[in-house]
Amino acid sequence: QTSFYGRFRHFLDIIDPRTLFVTESRLKEAVQLLEDYKHGTLPPGVTNKELWEAQKIKQAIIHPDTNETIFMPFRMSGYIPFGTPIVVGLLLPNQTLASTVFWQWLNQSHNACVNYANRNATKPSPTSKFIQGYLGAVISAVSIAVGLNVLVQRANKFTPATRLLIQRFVPFPAVASANICNVVLMRHTELEEGIDVLDNNGNIVGSSRIAAKHALLETALTRVVLPMPILVLPPIIMSILEKTSLLRSRPRMILPVQSLVCLAAFGLALPLAISLFPQMSEIETSRLEPEIAMATTSKTVVYNKGL
């Protein structure tokens, strides 16, 4: 996973929607198989393919810090199936104030839960912090989206067709800005308390606020890149497709076609965005707090960036 292509292939496994249907007994089998491999007690006849499949199942379902099962809709493998209907709603044309508020609220609620479920969980976080972060993220998203829509509607210089086209692109700056707020607000306790950093042997060296800043910055950048293809490509593609004789003569097909376009864009964007940085990121100990640099002989340490 030191290369982008390697991470891309890795995250294609993690976001595979088929892992959503893995049963509890199959998950236990996969975890046990990996434990047997770790302790050198593998049953005879177990192939490498079976071990990699077990690793895929575990990484897609179990949180690396808590070893607890992540709730299905908030796993990375559930992000596309559960998020695509929300994206379709965000990109619906001729939205009212109420519908804009509703879809932005639903999107940021979903994002908040995904951010929390896939956070660095080496330090406990109280529920009150989660609620504060959630409210901040939702208020920022709705405020930006509504504000931009009002500005576009009041821009008299634009023709109705141009205004409609611009309105279709409003969700991107609103969602991208709110996604940054969402990540920072949902995980700001990491900045206050730091996150665990580990040496080459997997031993905890200490708790670093500097590593937490890097983790949040990297995650925030992925949350800006992620909505680019999802919220920019579909409006462009749909504005072209809607001019075709097929959709002009069959207006009822517009929503199903837009849903397919959004699904394809989401399927492309998610693995590309989360592959920008490795989940277990590496940082030089000399760049961290002096007490951490003094606590280990390792030149670099790793930390869970979160997804």
Side-chain angles (χ1 to χ4, degrees):
Q1 291 186 52
T2 53
S3 70
F4 175 81
Y5 180 62
R7 291 193 297 273
F8 181 74
R9 291 177 63 192
H10 166 71
F11 285 119
L12 280 177
D13 268 350
I14 285 187
I15 68 166
D16 186 346
R18 290 174 298 180
T19 59
L20 295 172
F21 303 102
V22 170
T23 61
E24 189 68 30
S25 60
R26 178 71 184 94
L27 175 61
K28 285 179 180 176
E29 282 175 21
V31 172
Q32 187 57 52
L33 199 62
L34 293 171
E35 283 297 310
D36 291 344
Y37 171 75
K38 190 177 177 182
H39 296 109
T41 56
L42 267 181
V46 175
T47 63
N48 274 343
K49 186 179 178 182
E50 288 173 305
L51 282 169
W52 280 113
E53 185 63 25
Q55 177 82 332
K56 171 180 175 175
I57 289 169
K58 183 183 177 184
Q59 289 184 328
I61 298 173
I62 293 179
H63 194 287
D65 294 333
T66 63
N67 285 320
E68 292 177 1
T69 302
I70 300 171
F71 186 45
M72 187 196 288
F74 309 140
R75 295 174 196 163
M76 276 298 163
S77 54
Y79 203 29
I80 294 172
F82 290 95
T84 299
I86 300 171
V87 172
V88 174
L90 284 168
L91 293 173
L92 289 173
N94 301 313
Q95 295 218 29
T96 62
L97 179 65
S99 66
T100 300
V101 170
F102 172 75
W103 289 112
Q104 288 290 343
W105 164 76
L106 192 60
N107 182 50
Q108 290 306 321
S109 296
H110 182 233
N111 282 347
C113 292
V114 170
N115 287 337
Y116 185 77
N118 295 280
R119 73 198 184 284
N120 178 300
T122 53
K123 292 282 187 295
S125 180
T127 308
S128 59
K129 297 281 187 183
F130 170 79
I131 294 168
Q132 286 172 14
Y134 167 71
L135 290 174
V138 169
I139 290 166
S140 64
V142 172
S143 303
I144 294 164
V146 171
L148 288 172
N149 269 320
V150 169
L151 283 174
V152 171
Q153 287 168 1
R154 289 184 178 177
N156 299 322
K157 293 178 182 178
F158 299 128
T159 63
T162 306
R163 193 178 293 129
L164 179 62
L165 186 63
I166 293 171
Q167 276 183 312
R168 279 183 155 176
F169 288 99
V170 163
F172 172 66
V175 168
S177 308
N179 280 358
I180 296 172
C181 296
N182 200 319
V183 170
V184 174
L185 291 168
M186 292 304 301
R187 295 175 55 181
H188 74 281
T189 49
E190 295 174 31
L191 293 172
E192 295 170 3
E193 298 176 13
I195 57 175
D196 287 350
V197 292
L198 298 89
D199 62 17
N200 299 331
N201 299 316
N203 300 315
I204 296 172
V205 176
S207 188
S208 171
R209 292 180 184 175
I210 295 171
K213 286 179 185 175
H214 282 269
L216 260 67
L217 178 62
E218 290 171 356
T219 308
L221 282 171
T222 63
R223 291 298 191 273
V224 173
V225 173
L226 177 59
M228 278 184 191
I230 302 169
L231 298 175
V232 174
L233 287 179
I236 295 170
I237 294 168
M238 288 308 298
S239 64
I240 296 167
L241 292 179
E242 284 170 10
K243 293 173 184 175
T244 61
S245 56
L246 179 68
L247 289 187
R248 277 185 174 178
S249 58
R250 298 174 181 84
R252 287 184 180 179
M253 285 184 66
I254 290 175
L255 188 58
V257 169
Q258 180 166 323
S259 301
L260 287 173
V261 170
C262 290
L263 181 62
F266 211 154
L268 169 72
L270 183 59
L272 285 174
I274 60 177
S275 300
L276 289 175
F277 306 100
Q279 183 173 359
M280 296 305 293
S281 289
E282 193 174 56
I283 189 169
E284 293 174 4
T285 48
S286 59
R287 297 171 63 190
L288 300 178
E289 292 86 344
E291 62 271 20
I292 291 175
M294 291 169 64
T296 180
T297 55
S298 298
K299 291 186 177 180
T300 60
V301 288
V302 295
Y303 57 89
N304 176 17
K305 171 184 69 68
L307 285 176

